[in-house]
Every structure is written in structure tokens, then in C-alpha cells.
Amino acid sequence: MVREMIVVHGNHHLEGEVRVSGAKNSALKLMAASLLGQGCTTLRNVPLISDISLMTSVLERLGARVTRDGHSMTIDTAPVNAFETPYELVSKMRASISVLGPLIGRFGEALVAMPGGCQIGARKIDMHLLGLESLGVHFAVEHGILHATTPEGLHGAHVTLDFPSVGATENLLMASVVAEGTTVIENAAREPEIEDLASMLNEMGAKVSGAGSSIIEIQGVPLESLHPCDHATVGDRIEAGTFLVGGALTGGPLTVTGINPAFLHMALMKLQAMGCSLECGDDWIRVSREEPLCPTDIQTLPHPGFPTDLQAQFMLLAACAEGTSIITENVFENRFMFAAELVRMGADIQIEDHHAIVRGVPELQGAPVSSTDLRAGGALVLAGIVAEGETKIYGVEHIDRGYEDYVGKLRSLGADIRRCPADDSDGRA
Ligand code: EPZ
């Protein structure tokens, strides 16, 4: 596999209209949920990104037949006859842990490799395990493999999460839909992707209510009563937010379509606080800016708080604002690595524990930089678009995990950008 880099020339303006793809962080879980229905589920608006390809491999390893037709995907789970997800797949994508709940629901047993941490944090799964144990699941770890069994079957329970974990809420949802009796998840995650998953489970015959709020109630139904469905993934709010930051940086006007503005309420409030003008429709958002960027303070929090997945993008905005912003990362313990790369481009950022003090500078300079995680990578490309001179972004594979045709979409908005084989002239390839 030839390693690639993205080369972008600065001082360009982004404007026009771009349609966002389906949400990566929903589609991955919808694919896992299809395991609960025997037969052919169709998912639409599925993004063409590498994480989806990895989840496809996970499902195929379990015996499913997956076919793609553009942004539609058909998953035939009738042939699924295994409940083991090996380390070589889980180690490539932590989100593989999302098959734990549906495998327990379908087979009463699962063998899933323990996911490791990643660049942004330890990414523990203790809340997943504690919650599932409340439903009657027993866990043993054997050589790094999590072995889940349900000797007395799955039964409803009242589960209170210490923290509104997205993944834990999703695994509990997908197991409890076939538990005997009622399950209540208190302090549940409220992300739009949770609502999307609950909608699909209900279309399959489950009885989930309250998704999108902190208290979700699930009336268990027999596994046999669950059936395949045809479901369209919601738009990707993080991709939308990334492009809106590009419009805010260069002045726009830039419109993102295929997204419900309600998914980005906090981020839109921050764009306005930083001097942007916004217009919204049912499924589109337009951003423009005439005045200089103003500084603002940001605290990342679970939804509906400010999304941690937009932290790097807004740090870039703050780095170009006239004044000082404080950005506090409350969700992941190590998600400021992007700052070091931005400092190489001339930003003035000081990290104090989980706070970043960002003093705006008049201009960034192009430089060779490396993407540390997919959201930081997306932001580095935007930095190159506004910087002076040429920027080479290495670690493109991170970006490909979560952004479909990022280079093509940015080029259509006016960026001078291309992908090419990575050269090692900068020693960062
Ligand atoms: C999902 O990760 C997303 N990934 C992340 O997006 C996103 O940043 C995160 O939610 C928060 O919104 C996918 O959906 C595939 P969490 P997840 O469980 O489910 C700790 C991206 O860029 N925690 O809400 O792993 C955990 O370590 C990715 O698309 C425990 O301690 O997030 C983290 O610090 C990055 N124990 C915090 O909670 C647990 O059992 C939030 O984790 C579970 C989580």
C-alpha cells in the first residue's frame, strides 16, 4: 500500500455547497445492530470510508454476506454462525466492540478481543461490561479475548452509567432489546447517533423509548420477533461541522447539506460567538463571515455539550482569532496532540493539563505536519488552506477513516489541494 500525503496551497477561499455523507459513528453501529435480525437489512446513506470497510470485514468474519451499491449496503445475517471477533480486526478499529451487545443478544455468548487504547486516550470499556453484567452477562478475559456468557439468559435491569458513554449506551441498547423484561438506562448518552440506532432497532421490532434523553427504557422482546429493516443513516454532524469551520475560517459563504442543524446546536452557537453569520434550513446550514474572528471559550462535553470531535477544528479557528481563547477537553485525556502540529505552523498555543490557551496570530505558515487522529487530520488540512505557502499533511490514512472524498469535496469548494504518494523529504512519511 503506497503511503500518501495531502499537499495543499494556502491563502485559498472555501465557498459553495457540499453534501455531507452519512454519519460514521452511526453507520458502524447500525451495521452491528443488523446482527439482531435474521435476513437482509438494507442501510442507506452509508459513507464510503475505511472504518466501514473494517466493520464489513468484522461482519463477514461472523458469516454475514455484505454487498455495497454506492452509499447503500445490504447485510444478509442469515448465514451468521459465529460470535468471535478476533484481535487483528478489533485492533484496527475500536468500534468493533459495538458487535458485543448484538452478539450477546443473538447467541447469548460472544468472544470479542479487548480493544486497546488509541492516540486520544485509554478508551476503557468498564462501563460497557458493568452495564452488561447487570443484564446477566458473565465476562472472563482469556488471553486478551473477552468471553461473554449468559448462563441464566439476559434479564432487564436498571443501569445507571457513571458517565454518558456513547459506546456503553449502544452496547446496552443492543443487548437489552431481547432481555427478559424491562431495562432502564439512566445517564444514557444523548448523541443523535443514539437516536438513529434506537430508530433502527424499533424498525426491526424492538421497543425502545426515550433515546436522545438521559433515560432510555427498553421493553425486551423475543429475539425471533426482530426482523431486518431498511434504514437510512443520519448525516454526519462532525463532517458538517468540519466544513462549516472551513467556511468560517475563509469567510464563505459555505453551505453544508444533508444535515439536521439541531445536531450541531452548540457548535453553531460557538460559530456565532466567534463572529460568523448562520442561516439554517431543514437539512442545510450556511456560514459566512465578514468581521474578524473573535476568541471564545469552549468546554467539550457529552451531547448536547460541545462535541469533542470538533475540538481540533475549533482550536484552529481560535488560533486565527483576534484574542485569546481557552479550550478545555473534558471527554478524552489526551486529545491536544493536534496543538503541537498547529504550533509548527505558527500558532501560539499553551497546554495546561486539559486546558489549551490559544492566542490568535495574524497568519499561519504552511509546513509538513502529521495527522494524529482523524479529526485532527481534518483540521490540519483546513489549516493548510488558510496558511501562507504549502502544507503537506502525512497520516492521510487517519483522515480516510472518517471523511469520504475529503480532498474532492474541498477542491469543489475552491481549495488548491491534491493527494499524492508521500515523499520522505520531510522525514515524516
Ligand atoms: C464515540 O466513542 C465516538 N466513536 C468518538 O468519535 C467520540 O469522540 C465519542 O463517542 C464521544 O462522543 C464512535 O462512535 C465509533 P465514549 P466512544 O464511550 O463510544 C471513557 C471519532 O473521531 N469511557 O462516550 O468510545 C472513554 O475512555 C471518534 O469519530 C470509560 O472510561 O466514546 C472516554 O474518555 C473519536 N469507560 C469517554 O469515556 C467506558 O466503559 C467517552 O467515551 C466507556 C468510555
Side-chain angles (χ1 to χ4, degrees):
M1 176 88 153
V2 175
R3 289 177 71 83
E4 290 190 291
M5 65 182 176
I6 290 175
V7 180
V8 55
H9 291 109
N11 290 325
H12 273 72
H13 185 81
L14 295 180
E15 65 178 279
E17 184 172 303
V18 63
R19 183 168 189 80
V20 297
S21 301
K24 165 179 89 80
N25 292 346
S26 180
L28 291 171
K29 299 25 162 343
L30 303 180
M31 290 173 73
S34 70
L35 291 165
L36 287 164
Q38 297 244 10
C40 286
T41 283
T42 298
L43 295 179
R44 302 179 191 283
N45 200 28
V46 178
L48 293 162
I49 54 177
S50 57
D51 269 11
I52 294 292
S53 305
L54 277 170
M55 184 58 88
T56 299
S57 303
V58 169
L59 295 184
E60 287 172 338
R61 180 69 68 92
L62 295 168
R65 270 196 297 273
V66 184
T67 53
R68 287 221 65 161
D69 175 10
H71 291 105
S72 291
M73 171 186 280
T74 302
I75 307 167
D76 181 359
T77 63
V80 170
N81 56 7
F83 47 72
E84 178 167 4
T85 300
Y87 179 69
E88 81 255 18
L89 288 176
V90 176
S91 60
K92 288 180 187 152
M93 181 181 65
R94 294 190 63 267
S96 314
I97 195 70
S98 302
V99 300
L100 180 63
L103 287 177
I104 292 170
R106 178 161 173 165
F107 295 104
E109 188 169 3
L111 281 162
V112 180
M114 290 287 282
C118 70
Q119 293 271 29
I120 62 178
R123 312 295 296 271
K124 296 189 302 179
I125 59 168
D126 53 311
M127 287 187 268
H128 298 236
L129 306 184
L130 276 173
L132 290 168
E133 282 169 352
S134 309
L135 303 182
V137 183
H138 293 201
F139 288 104
V141 179
E142 298 143 10
H143 307 294
I145 302 287
L146 197 58
H147 186 192
T149 54
T150 51
E152 294 87 38
L154 281 173
H155 56 75
H158 190 119
V159 181
T160 301
L161 294 175
D162 286 351
F163 176 90
S165 155
V166 171
T169 302
E170 291 162 340
N171 262 327
L172 284 168
L173 261 179
M174 292 188 280
S176 61
V177 291
V178 291
E180 183 78 30
T182 300
T183 296
V184 173
I185 306 172
E186 201 167 341
N187 197 23
R190 298 170 55 188
E191 274 71 359
E193 294 76 29
I194 302 282
E195 289 187 75
D196 200 21
L197 174 60
S199 300
M200 177 175 160
L201 290 168
N202 285 338
E203 288 156 23
M204 295 175 74
K207 290 180 180 159
V208 180
S209 57
S213 78
S214 297
I215 298 182
I216 304 177
E217 183 171 296
I218 305 101
Q219 303 291 340
V221 297
L223 173 65
E224 304 69 45
S225 69
L226 294 183
H227 51 79
C229 70
D230 184 322
H231 182 88
T233 308
V234 294
D236 193 314
R237 61 193 167 99
I238 305 303
E239 183 189 5
T242 303
F243 283 116
L244 288 170
V245 165
L249 271 172
T250 61
L254 188 151
T255 304
V256 293
T257 62
I259 187 67
N260 178 347
F263 292 177
L264 281 163
H265 181 65
M266 186 63 76
L268 299 184
M269 280 172 56
K270 290 299 177 183
L271 285 176
Q272 285 176 317
M274 297 183 85
C276 297
S277 305
L278 292 169
E279 293 168 81
C280 295
D282 291 344
D283 70 342
W284 59 268
I285 305 165
R286 180 174 300 120
V287 63
S288 60
R289 180 175 60 82
E290 285 78 35
E291 303 304 319
L293 277 169
C294 311
T296 191
D297 294 342
I298 287 174
Q299 294 261 6
T300 68
L301 287 167
H303 195 80
F306 188 91
T308 174
D309 293 348
L310 286 177
Q311 182 248 100
Q313 298 89 322
F314 274 75
M315 184 181 285
L316 168 59
L317 266 184
C320 301
E322 289 188 352
T324 300
S325 304
I326 308 286
I327 298 179
T328 305
E329 172 56 56
N330 297 304
V331 177
F332 289 104
E333 64 268 30
N334 187 33
R335 203 170 196 175
F336 279 146
M337 289 160 304
F338 166 73
E341 295 302 304
L342 210 52
V343 166
R344 301 186 63 254
M345 297 178 73
D348 178 353
I349 304 171
Q350 192 178 331
I351 304 296
E352 303 280 346
D353 189 20
H354 63 295
H355 303 285
I357 299 145
V358 186
R359 294 180 179 84
V361 293
E363 189 174 70
L364 297 175
Q365 297 94 35
V369 289
S370 297
S371 165
T372 50
D373 72 84
L374 74 119
R375 305 306 175 187
L380 282 171
V381 175
L382 297 181
I385 290 170
V386 292
E388 176 61 40
E390 178 181 87
T391 298
K392 291 177 183 172
I393 297 99
Y394 295 94
V396 178
E397 64 278 7
H398 289 287
I399 298 173
D400 292 340
R401 291 189 49 200
Y403 292 98
E404 177 183 335
D405 190 20
Y406 193 46
V407 167
K409 289 177 178 175
L410 286 170
R411 189 180 295 123
S412 74
L413 292 166
D416 174 353
I417 185 170
R418 71 180 193 281
R419 285 177 78 118
C420 56
D423 63 31
D424 58 3
S425 55
D426 312 298
R428 296 181 81 97

